[in-house]
């Protein structure tokens, strides 16, 4: 019984290390999002850290339009990054979870 418990604890610690390594790797996964007319481009990491914002001169002439573009494009980029992050971390967590009857959390 204790051997099983120790094995599970070891597996959980191993999974925690893999999750942390995956989080670090996601700092290097870049997500690009453009506005529909390509006047605004945003690049961020899969951990949702903004790396670059490129704004067309045309958008600089209209503050309200630029604000709208930033909100829409940032929200789309953040959604993409969140989906990538959740998929990656979910896969690592599912792989490392011990098989405990009744604990089918990742189906």
């Amino acid at each position: 019984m204790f051997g099983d418990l120790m094995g599970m604890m070891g597996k959980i610690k191993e999974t925690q290390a893999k999750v942390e390594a995956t989080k670090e790797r996601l700092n290097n996964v870049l997500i690009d999002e453009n506005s529909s007319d390509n006047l605004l481009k945003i690049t961020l990491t899969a951990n949702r850290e903004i790396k670059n914002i490129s704004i067309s001169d045309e958008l600089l002439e209209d503050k309200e339009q630029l604000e709208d573009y930033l909100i829409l494009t940032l929200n789309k980029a953040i959604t993409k990054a969140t989906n990538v992050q959740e998929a990656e971390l979910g896969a690592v967590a599912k792989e490392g979870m011990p098989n405990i009857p009744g604990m089918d959390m990742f189906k």
Side-chain angles (χ1 to χ4, degrees):
M1 178 176 163
F2 288 112
D4 289 342
L5 183 58
M6 294 303 288
M8 277 194 287
M9 294 302 291
K11 188 145 178 114
I12 289 171
K13 284 185 180 194
E14 181 182 314
T15 299
Q16 287 174 331
K18 286 181 179 180
V19 165
E20 290 304 314
T22 300
K23 285 180 182 179
E24 283 296 315
R25 185 178 56 77
L26 291 175
N27 283 327
N28 298 312
V29 174
L30 298 179
I31 309 293
D32 290 321
E33 185 62 49
N34 297 312
S35 61
S36 58
D37 54 9
N38 293 317
L39 296 178
L40 178 69
K41 179 182 177 184
I42 295 173
T43 302
L44 68 158
T45 69
N47 284 327
R48 298 179 301 266
E49 180 182 334
I50 297 171
K51 291 295 188 178
N52 188 51
I53 297 176
S54 177
I55 302 170
S56 166
D57 290 340
E58 183 179 327
L59 282 177
L60 296 176
E61 298 168 7
D62 186 345
K63 179 182 183 272
E64 204 170 290
Q65 182 182 18
L66 175 57
E67 290 168 346
D68 290 343
Y69 270 61
L70 282 167
I71 290 168
L72 291 171
T73 309
L74 275 167
N75 282 332
K76 287 190 327 188
I78 290 168
T79 297
K80 277 186 180 179
T82 299
N83 291 340
V84 169
Q85 184 187 52
E86 287 176 354
E88 292 286 327
L89 292 176
V92 170
K94 182 178 179 182
E95 170 189 312
M97 287 299 293
N99 187 14
I100 302 171
M103 297 288 289
D104 298 332
M105 297 184 303
F106 296 103
K107 279 192 174 183

